[in-house]
Structures are given as C-alpha cells and as structure tokens.
Amino acid sequence: MLTWFYQSLKKMKLIIAYIKPEQLGDVKNELVKSEVYRLSVTNALGCGRQKGYSENYRGNEREVNLLKKVRLEIAVNDEFLEQTVEAIIRGAKTDHIGDGKIFILNLEECIRVRTHETGPEAIG
Ligand SMILES: Nc1ncnc2c1ncn2[C@@H]1O[C@H](COP(=O)(O)OP(=O)(O)OP(=O)(O)O)[C@@H](O)[C@H]1O
Ligand SMILES: [Mg+2]
C-alpha cells in the first residue's frame, strides 16, 4: 500500500567532483573498493582560488590560468553518498593545492532507458 508514496521519499544525489587527472586511477580504485561502479568521466579545464597559478605566483591578479582537471559525475542513492564522497577524497588527496572540489546536488529523477525504471531502482 502507498508504495509510490514511500518510494517518492527516497532521495538521490548527484556528486560532481573536479580532481587532478593524475589521481583518476587512485580515485577509480577507491570507488571500486567502496563498491561504486557507475560513473561518468570527462576532461575539464578549471581553476580554483589560486586562479590556476602556483602558490608563490606574483603575476597579473586579473588573469586566470585554466588547468587540466577531470570531472567525475556519480549519481547515488542517499545511503551511498558518504562512502562515495569519502572514496573520492581518499583517492584525490595529495595535500597540495588544486587537489579538487566536490559538489553535491539533490537529484530529481533518473530513468533507465531500456526498462523505463525510474528513481532509486534506475540508479543502481
Ligand atoms: N567554485 C567553483 N566553481 C566551479 N568549479 C570550481 C570551483 N572551485 C573549484 N572548482 C573546480 O575544481 C578544480 C579544483 O579546485 P581547487 O582544488 O584548486 O580548489 P581550491 O578552492 O582552490 O582549493 P585549494 O586551495 O586546495 O587549491 C578547479 O580547477 C575547478 O575546475
Ligand atoms: Mg586551488
């Protein structure tokens, strides 16, 4: 009874992470260890608060330098959020500037094209 209602209370998140390209292998390994196998990866250009320059750069403050980053997108059911984010951090962290940033968004819906499944069933 009311299955659709309880279903609609379950929430999903979209994790978007920008990481150093050289850390992608480590991040992937950590995700697999945490049983996260579904992800999308694209190349990106970006800069954070150092405007793409190293810490002791003393140049034109108005310029930004776009650095190569890798963008990960992972959609998860809420119960997988913590382990997924922690896995990304374990793999991406080198303790240097530019290690990356992780954004977490509420995800409205998800549809598996082949079966028309929606929501939490479609994500996993
Ligand atoms: N506010 C933001 N909006 C969009 N993308 C961002 C933002 N902050 C960081 N990024 C993306 O994340 C990448 C990595 O950011 P970065 O790790 O340099 O963050 P930071 O805030 O400068 O922290 P740190 O001081 O550790 O370098 C950037 O190159 C950019 O692609
Ligand atoms: Mg930075």
Side-chain angles (χ1 to χ4, degrees), residues 48-50 98:
R49 60 183 172 176
Q50 293 84 12

